[in-house]
Amino acid sequence: MRTRPLKVALLGCGVVGSEVARIMTTHAADLAARIGAPVELAGVAVRRPSRVREGIDPALVTTDATALVKRGDLDVVIEVIGGIEPARTLITTAFEHGASVVSANKALLAQDGAALHAAAEANDKDLYYEAAVAGAIPLIRPLRESLAGDKVNRVLGIVNGTTNFILDKMDSTGAGYQEALDEATALGYAEADPTADVEGFDAAAKAAILAGIAFHTRVRLDDVYREGMTEVTAADFASAKRMGCTIKLLAICERSKDGASVTARVHPAMIPLSHPLASVRGAYNAVFVESDASGQLMFYGPGAGGAPTASAVLGDLVAVCRNRLSGSTGPGESAYAALPVSPMGDVVTRYHISLDVADKPGVLAQVATVFAEHGVSIDTVRQQGRQDGGGEASLVVVTHIASDASLTGTVEALRKLDTVRGVASIMRVEGE
């Protein structure tokens, strides 16, 4: 074993960063044995230096992150501050001054992953980011290494624990969205401002990363269709249960049937209770991968939190340090396929549409005609009069597979019918 330590700088010392520092200290001997050399925490960049950080030598703490990454004697920089800037500049500066980088920054990787990979390659350094998607779940490395010889056709997953907790509560208790969100906030699963989670921004960034790796194609955040889950209601769950389904916020990345393009999207969807993702409860994550040779694979576990995310960071640290010792680098960006990313209008799936209609003869025939005129085939229809009377009824239509564009045209035409009072909800049906 080499006795001279590998020097590591830590950018950020919040929930994740403090866990990384703790594990580096308490598991130092094990990490050294696994790497082949000891690792030394050489500096910690923070915004609030006066805060007490247990187990970290105050002499290592600095507010000058730029000076830290420019030292020139660092082997690895771990970036867990998040956001676009200054993280982007700090990472590229670290490459230029001789350090490889381990990051958990999904937003930055989804927006500028290609540029970061290019900077790493130009400086012959590593960029690892297992912790950017699904916390402790090994997912990035299996996709870009274990399945490198296979053809991945679809990645379907629950990649945000906050939204899964909320939807699970709505499903299991009958709670409304706001009630479930309040409980998630009280338990610490949801931030004070939950927008990034419940509107799908967090999941969309992860979808961009997964699609890029799975399909060897550059997929940016702007390429991902995004739809939040704030409009999901208890009535939607009741309809889902009648179909033998539940509702999840899914990240879906898939190749077209002809293999000529890919799509990436995030939205709520009904999935059959028989599908493995339907049983993922609470704040857990799970990702379902479908490929030619290996078939169907499922990765499951805690998708967030200090210790789980730190576990993924430390796994990358070990891999990068081993590469440093051997004088090599690991896999970089693989975007040779360069497939176009199709718009959401080209996506085909099943749909569940709930309409408020006049409770009188002939309404179903009018609705069915609109669907037929737009080339959307109906699978099942259920109509039920309102208990409160008022001459209105609920009409639920489940389609066969249709494109998003054709369904959009259908709904626009339905809204023009005098007998249709409103469109209560539209939800995709996946996993079949």
Side-chain angles (χ1 to χ4, degrees):
M1 177 186 293
R2 193 180 87 167
T3 57
R4 183 169 61 83
L6 293 161
K7 293 188 176 183
V8 179
L10 181 60
L11 307 182
C13 198
V15 173
V16 175
S18 59
E19 277 295 309
V20 169
R22 183 189 66 79
I23 295 173
M24 285 183 64
T25 301
T26 58
H27 294 196
D30 286 337
L31 289 172
R34 294 166 190 171
I35 292 169
V39 290
E40 173 190 315
L41 188 59
V44 182
V46 300
R47 286 183 297 178
R48 294 183 292 274
S50 60
R51 179 181 170 188
V52 176
R53 294 172 172 84
E54 186 177 349
I56 297 178
D57 183 351
L60 297 177
V61 177
T62 179
T63 58
D64 194 343
T66 300
L68 178 60
V69 298
K70 284 184 174 181
R71 279 178 37 163
D73 64 340
L74 298 175
D75 293 287
V76 184
V77 168
I78 298 174
E79 183 271 311
V80 288
I81 56 178
I84 305 303
E85 287 291 358
R88 173 171 49 199
T89 299
L90 291 171
I91 288 173
T92 55
T93 302
F95 289 141
E96 292 165 0
H97 286 78
S100 290
V101 173
V102 172
S103 177
N105 195 331
K106 54 187 171 286
L108 178 57
L109 288 159
Q111 179 171 307
D112 288 319
L116 295 179
H117 277 292
E121 183 177 0
N123 292 279
D124 196 26
K125 296 296 178 287
D126 275 323
L127 172 63
Y128 275 50
Y129 45 91
E130 184 68 64
V133 181
I137 305 172
L139 186 58
I140 301 298
R141 194 171 290 117
L143 280 174
R144 72 176 184 176
E145 296 181 33
S146 303
L147 297 176
D150 205 345
K151 179 184 178 183
V152 176
N153 296 309
R154 196 176 197 221
V155 179
L156 172 76
I158 299 164
V159 294
N160 183 277
T162 300
T163 55
N164 199 57
F165 178 89
I166 293 170
L167 293 173
D168 183 37
K169 281 296 176 183
M170 293 176 69
D171 185 27
S172 60
T173 68
Y177 166 76
Q178 189 61 50
E179 183 182 351
L181 172 60
D182 289 344
E183 182 174 352
T185 304
L187 293 173
Y189 291 123
E191 301 286 346
D193 180 0
T195 302
D197 295 323
V198 300
E199 293 295 351
F201 291 101
D202 175 85
K206 295 170 182 175
I209 295 170
L210 291 175
I213 297 170
F215 307 134
H216 305 279
T217 291
R218 287 178 178 169
V219 180
R220 300 181 74 251
L221 182 59
D222 291 345
D223 296 321
V224 182
Y225 172 83
R226 178 193 54 79
E227 185 180 316
M229 39 113 6
T230 58
E231 300 301 319
V232 177
T233 66
D236 292 325
F237 274 101
S239 292
K241 288 181 178 180
R242 283 192 287 268
M243 292 177 58
C245 294
T246 188
I247 299 172
K248 300 291 186 180
L249 184 75
L250 298 178
I252 305 170
C253 314
E254 55 191 352
R255 294 180 189 268
S256 60
K257 287 189 177 181
D258 62 6
S261 64
V262 299
T263 58
R265 50 197 165 102
V266 169
H267 53 71
M270 295 182 179
I271 59 172
L273 294 175
S274 58
H275 194 282
L277 291 178
S279 61
V280 178
R281 311 300 298 270
Y284 277 74
N285 285 191
V287 177
F288 206 70
V289 177
E290 301 173 8
S291 63
D292 277 359
S294 57
Q296 298 178 331
L297 305 170
M298 182 166 161
F299 301 83
Y300 169 86
T309 305
S311 171
V313 169
L314 268 294
D316 279 351
L317 177 64
V318 169
V320 170
C321 285
R322 287 172 175 169
N323 291 343
R324 296 284 287 195
L325 290 178
S326 67
S328 64
T329 56
E333 183 188 33
S334 176
Y336 72 90
L339 297 171
V341 182
S342 296
M344 187 63 187
D346 293 347
V347 172
V348 294
T349 187
R350 296 178 67 204
Y351 289 86
H352 175 282
I353 305 102
S354 179
L355 305 172
D356 295 328
V357 300
D359 191 6
K360 64 182 184 180
V363 172
L364 179 56
Q366 288 183 333
V367 169
T369 297
V370 170
F371 275 86
E373 289 174 347
H374 287 80
V376 179
S377 178
I378 294 175
D379 182 18
T380 62
V381 177
R382 185 180 70 253
Q383 183 170 345
Q384 182 176 350
R386 297 284 179 80
Q387 293 181 353
D388 58 1
E392 292 190 1
S394 294
L395 182 65
V396 174
V397 178
V398 179
T399 74
H400 286 291
I401 290 177
S403 72
D404 189 82
S406 63
L407 197 280
T408 299
T410 301
V411 172
E412 290 175 354
L414 288 171
R415 294 183 192 276
K416 296 177 182 178
L417 294 178
D418 292 339
T419 52
V420 174
R421 308 295 191 231
V423 180
S425 69
I426 303 171
M427 192 166 296
R428 297 166 184 88
V429 183
E430 301 284 349
E432 296 186 317

